[in-house]
């Protein structure tokens, strides 16, 4: 199965589980934000969503304070990363620590690429 077929298969499985999905070809920043905002509105009375909102506010404050990147850019990276890693995590039932490791190693890989293959 090639990458596109794998992605389409994952989208079918996740859709069947009740997740709203988009393929890489369909993905846009605004579309991803629309999906997130729709879920936040739909489940606003759910204590889990309320807790997520509180955690997200704290994390947004921390990232805005400590990362020298505009909030809009941080949001775009988080949307793309969460979509990619989230799909993998859901398909393979990955634990939280492994998701964190995937993101950290990806950050290291991007840093190396930005520095000609050498760590910064």
């Amino acid at each position: 199965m090639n990458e596109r077929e794998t992605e389409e298969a994952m989208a079918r499985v996740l859709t069947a589980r009740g997740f709203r999905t988009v393929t890489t070809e369909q993905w846009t920043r605004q579309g991803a934000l629309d999906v997130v905002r729709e879920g936040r509105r739909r489940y606003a009375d759910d204590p889990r969503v309320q807790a997520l909102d509180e955690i997200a506010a704290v994390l947004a404050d921390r990232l805005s304070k400590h990362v020298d990147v505009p909030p809009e850019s941080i949001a775009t990276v988080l949307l793309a990363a969460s979509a990619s890693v989230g799909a993998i995590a859901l398909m393979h039932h990955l634990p939280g620590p492994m998701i964190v490791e995937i993101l950290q190693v990806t950050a290291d890989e991007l840093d190396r690429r930005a520095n000609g293959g050498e760590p910064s």
Side-chain angles (χ1 to χ4, degrees):
M1 199 181 293
N2 66 33
E3 185 175 341
R4 183 176 180 178
E5 292 169 336
T6 300
E7 181 179 0
E8 289 172 355
M10 286 185 357
R12 284 191 300 276
V13 169
L14 293 173
T15 299
R17 292 184 190 174
F19 294 95
R20 184 169 165 201
T21 62
V22 293
T23 64
T24 301
E25 293 169 352
Q26 298 167 326
W27 192 92
T28 65
R29 180 184 192 280
Q30 189 58 53
L33 282 170
D34 290 346
V35 169
V36 172
R37 290 172 180 158
E38 176 186 320
R40 289 177 80 180
R41 277 191 305 273
R42 181 179 292 164
Y43 303 107
D45 294 333
D46 183 328
R48 180 179 172 273
V49 172
Q50 293 169 358
L52 287 173
D53 286 345
E54 291 176 21
I55 294 166
V58 171
L59 183 56
D61 289 344
R62 286 182 186 167
L63 289 172
S64 296
K65 181 178 178 182
H66 297 290
V67 179
D68 189 23
V69 177
E72 299 83 12
S73 297
I74 297 169
T76 300
V77 170
L78 288 173
L79 287 165
S82 65
S84 298
V85 176
I88 294 167
L90 289 168
M91 289 294 296
H92 300 285
H93 306 285
L94 299 180
M98 184 173 279
I99 295 166
V100 171
E101 289 178 276
I102 291 168
L103 291 170
Q104 290 172 334
V105 172
T106 302
D108 183 48
E109 178 63 22
L110 289 167
D111 182 72
R112 287 174 183 269
R113 289 179 185 186
N115 292 293
E118 299 295 323
S120 58

